[in-house]
Amino acid sequence: MTTTKTINLTLKVWRQQGPNVKGRLDTYPAKDISTDMSFLEMLDVINEQLTLEGKDPIAFDHDCREGICGMCGTMVNGRAHGPEKGTTLCQLHMRHFSDGDTVVIEPWRSMAFKVIKDLVVDRSAFDEIIQTGGYVSVNVGGAQDANAIPVPQEAAEKAMDAAACIGCGACVASCPNASAMLFVSAKVSQLALLPQGRPEAARRALAMVRKMDEKGFGNCSNEKECEAECPKEISIVNIARLNREFFKANIFSEIP
Ligand code: SF4
Ligand code: FES
């Protein structure tokens, strides 16, 4: 016995030919969509139809389709990655929609994330932030004994939780200030919590926050939308840690 069911939807999709042209919402019927499909598979079906009709398919970002890479993401009915908590768009299934629904699909909105085409935005600002400090500098050589640097269990767990950030940008898209604080705080925390990350902690916090400001992201005013919409459920406790790291670096470090 199969439980597969199909639904009919009306899609309103943001179409924009390029960064400097005006966009608009276009309407497409989505017929006989299996509720077992993922949201991206549903878009694949629509694109196949558009291609067969000789029309321009909808551009959208994706890669792993397993919730790991951070490439996918759009606003779905005003929610980043759609209605399911802790779920990336690629892992969202059509069973969460009902027959007859209208689904509005838009790209991330932020001054720092310019639309490239349709639902694809330029997130290279995140790459630039990582380039300024999201790493540890080590001399290569023989592998160290695993237990050579003791790490408290609690610190290791918190660092792993922060390292779950996939850099998707949903936090920016859902924040009224278009702040990147949740992303930056996760990337600072995953290193600051571990002994290996401490030598460059002050330099990292200063450089990443400065780059974040330079790229046009807003500041945090504790709206908590980022935490609510983050598909990896990154906690805003990391933002408090970033603020402490930045404060310490400003006041006590010798780093200019
Ligand atoms: S903090 Fe969450 S929402 Fe923001 S980039 Fe990382 S995974 Fe995405
Ligand atoms: S496509 Fe990789 S996280 Fe969605």
Side-chain angles (χ1 to χ4, degrees), residues 126 164-172 182-183 186 226 229-232 234:
F126 269 15
C165 167
I166 53 175
C168 63
C171 45
V172 174
L182 194 65
F183 165 75
C226 55
E229 298 292 77
C230 171
K232 296 296 154 184
I234 301 291

Side-chain angles (χ1 to χ4, degrees), residues 13-217:
V13 185
W14 187 259
R15 304 302 310 262
Q16 185 172 336
Q17 275 308 308
N20 300 318
V21 294
K22 251 180 133 175
R24 63 183 189 282
L25 281 172
D26 274 359
T27 304
Y28 303 97
K31 291 208 170 73
D32 299 325
I33 298 298
S34 162
T35 50
D36 289 339
M37 279 181 194
S38 73
F39 198 87
L40 299 189
E41 284 167 341
M42 182 274 292
L43 287 179
D44 289 339
V45 168
I46 303 301
N47 274 348
E48 227 164 86
Q49 284 166 13
L50 290 174
T51 309
L52 288 173
E53 290 164 14
K55 296 181 182 153
D56 195 20
I58 301 158
F60 64 92
D61 251 337
H62 60 106
D63 192 359
C64 72
R65 298 198 177 202
E66 291 180 340
I68 311 169
C69 73
M71 282 302 285
C72 67
T74 64
M75 302 304 284
V76 178
N77 290 341
R79 301 278 310 271
H81 289 290
E84 283 297 293
K85 196 168 166 49
T87 307
T88 54
L89 193 67
C90 59
Q91 298 271 284
L92 177 69
H93 281 86
M94 296 313 293
R95 67 182 77 99
H96 299 295
F97 297 87
S98 304
D99 192 39
D101 275 358
T102 295
V103 184
V104 181
I105 312 169
E106 298 168 278
W108 291 161
R109 296 277 184 224
S110 158
M111 200 172 79
F113 291 162
K114 294 235 176 333
V115 172
I116 296 171
K117 191 177 177 197
D118 299 337
L119 305 172
V120 179
V121 299
D122 178 3
R123 282 173 290 184
S124 57
F126 269 15
D127 299 331
E128 288 185 50
I129 293 171
I130 292 291
Q131 280 161 12
T132 61
Y135 52 81
V136 288
S137 308
V138 288
N139 291 327
V140 291
Q144 250 182 338
D145 266 3
N147 292 329
I149 305 173
V151 179
Q153 168 76 7
E154 202 188 28
E157 293 290 347
K158 286 180 178 166
M160 279 302 286
D161 286 349
C165 167
I166 53 175
C168 63
C171 45
V172 174
S174 53
C175 175
N177 307 326
S179 170
M181 285 288 275
L182 194 65
F183 165 75
V184 174
S185 71
K187 298 302 175 191
V188 162
S189 289
Q190 66 181 6
L191 300 172
L193 282 159
L194 299 175
Q196 295 91 335
R198 290 313 309 169
E200 292 164 299
R203 190 184 302 279
R204 177 181 309 112
L206 291 173
M208 291 179 85
V209 169
R210 281 174 191 158
K211 183 56 82 174
M212 174 180 77
D213 290 344
E214 182 195 308
K215 298 311 290 183
F217 295 104

